Amino acid sequence: METIDIDNQPSSLTQYTRAAQRAAAEVIDTYSTSFGWSSKLLSKKLATHVRNIYALVRVADEIVDGAAAEALENSFSVDPLSILDQMERDTYRAMDCGFSSNLIIHAFASTARQVGIERDLVQPFFTSMRMDLNRRIYDQRGFDIYVYGSAEVVGLMCLKAFLHTRMVSDEQNSEFVTGARALGAAFQKVNFLRDLAADFKKLGRSYFPQIRIEEFTEAQKQILVDDIYRDLATSRNALVKLPASSRRAVSAAQMMFTELNAVIAATPANRLIETRVRVSNPKKLWIFIKAWFGVVAR
């Protein structure tokens, strides 16, 4: 009869956490090719943390914009806001106690507890998600609040993982924080520009202040593109100083969105509001290969 070495079996919590992490990895594989490719350039442990963070972000986004809205279209007994509120409460509870029956929340909480992600980063994220349910037009203040909560704090969460085992000075940490926020802002603004047509026509939403989509001009587009390039330049200053364990992956993401911004810059404004542009798969592969060999975004 085969004997089982009980002493070498993982604890129930360890086994459950591993299952939660596999669920988080499935989310990123399903929803983001670029993000998935970039995460493969991280060490195994860091990749797990980044996937855990992204999975929570992705599921919340599906509540406000995607699957939940579609599923609840003909239901009046529950709404996306109540589901999002419950998700936020469950996330805080899991961060406090280390367990959730929701695998995605559990995976995120396991990372948050390990690397020091606290409510001061999580709460702004849920605030921005809630704004997607209530706002259609943004002024500058609302835009800044939304971009910070929906994107910049996600960069800061990842930065917590990247620097978790590193000793950095207050000055270095401040520089990394500035870079992470700039990169997150650049990613989100690029996404806004890429998705102008879908956001306006399908969701009736316009994020950029003082921009009327039906009157979108080439000059307005160029102002937005230049602003994104400035964010990317700020983030590059910190990128080159990141630990080797995360530098290649962040460089890949930076190069990917720099290329997408270039595609947007080359696309006429009147076409941009009619179609969703993208970086071709061969170009993505070339960027991934360059990052793999240590080429840093420029």
Side-chain angles (χ1 to χ4, degrees):
M1 178 182 297
E2 181 182 0
T3 60
I4 298 176
D5 186 353
I6 296 177
D7 291 338
N8 289 331
Q9 296 301 303
S11 70
S12 295
L13 181 58
T14 298
Q15 190 171 21
Y16 184 82
T17 300
R18 289 174 182 170
Q21 291 168 347
R22 286 195 293 272
E26 182 62 30
V27 170
I28 197 171
D29 288 343
T30 299
Y31 282 98
S32 179
T33 303
S34 299
F35 212 94
W37 285 11
S38 296
S39 69
K40 296 182 189 302
L41 296 171
L42 293 165
S43 67
K44 184 176 180 180
K45 189 169 186 177
L46 283 181
T48 296
H49 287 319
V50 168
R51 288 169 184 148
N52 291 348
I53 292 167
Y54 177 84
L56 184 86
V57 170
R58 183 69 249 180
V59 171
D61 192 60
E62 285 301 308
I63 292 173
V64 300
D65 275 347
E70 184 178 331
L72 299 172
E73 186 175 353
N74 298 314
S75 173
F76 301 99
S77 59
V78 68
D79 60 82
L81 179 59
S82 64
I83 296 174
L84 187 69
D85 288 345
Q86 185 63 54
M87 183 183 191
E88 182 175 12
R89 289 191 294 270
D90 291 346
T91 300
Y92 295 150
R93 187 179 300 114
M95 290 169 66
D96 289 340
C97 75
F99 177 81
S100 175
S101 58
N102 181 311
L103 286 172
I104 300 304
I105 291 176
H106 181 86
F108 174 81
S110 70
T111 283
R113 287 164 64 87
Q114 286 182 59
V115 306
I117 297 170
E118 298 181 352
R119 291 193 189 195
D120 65 327
L121 295 182
V122 179
Q123 188 171 14
F125 168 72
F126 280 104
T127 295
S128 287
M129 292 299 97
R130 212 168 275 112
M131 289 170 73
D132 266 339
L133 294 172
N134 300 316
R135 285 206 185 197
R136 289 296 177 263
I137 304 296
Y138 285 78
D139 57 16
Q140 189 62 52
R141 181 174 180 275
F143 178 80
D144 292 342
I145 290 172
Y146 184 84
V147 170
Y148 175 72
S150 65
E152 293 180 30
V153 297
V154 178
L156 294 175
M157 290 178 196
C158 292
L159 183 64
K160 288 280 189 182
F162 297 159
L163 301 182
H164 174 52
T165 61
R166 306 281 172 165
M167 293 292 294
V168 297
S169 67
D170 290 343
E171 182 179 353
Q172 289 173 319
N173 187 66
S174 177
E175 186 174 8
F176 283 133
V177 166
T178 298
R181 289 187 61 177
L183 190 57
F187 287 0
Q188 188 63 289
K189 292 171 188 176
V190 167
N191 286 335
F192 288 161
L193 266 177
R194 180 192 60 187
D195 295 336
L196 274 177
D199 284 340
F200 184 69
K201 292 180 179 179
K202 182 180 179 182
L203 303 173
R205 188 179 298 149
S206 178
Y207 289 102
F208 291 113
Q210 283 125 25
I211 297 292
R212 292 174 58 84
I213 305 304
E214 62 271 28
E215 300 172 0
F216 190 55
T217 68
E218 192 67 24
Q220 289 174 324
K221 185 201 75 175
Q222 194 59 50
I223 289 172
L224 298 176
V225 165
D226 290 343
D227 179 53
I228 291 167
Y229 277 133
R230 284 192 292 272
D231 283 334
L232 290 167
T234 297
S235 69
R236 268 195 303 273
N237 294 332
L239 164 62
V240 296
K241 300 175 184 177
L242 280 172
S245 56
S246 56
R247 192 184 309 129
R248 290 189 306 170
V250 177
S251 186
Q254 169 107 13
M255 287 190 285
M256 202 79 72
F257 278 84
T258 299
E259 179 63 25
L260 182 53
N261 199 40
V263 172
I264 289 169
T267 303
N270 60 355
R271 183 165 174 257
L272 201 60
I273 61 174
E274 297 294 335
T275 188
R276 188 178 192 267
V277 299
R278 60 186 296 273
V279 177
S280 67
N281 285 337
K283 189 69 176 182
K284 287 181 180 179
L285 180 60
W286 176 235
I287 289 171
F288 179 81
I289 291 171
K290 287 197 296 183
W292 179 270
F293 282 102
V295 176
V296 177
R298 297 186 183 280

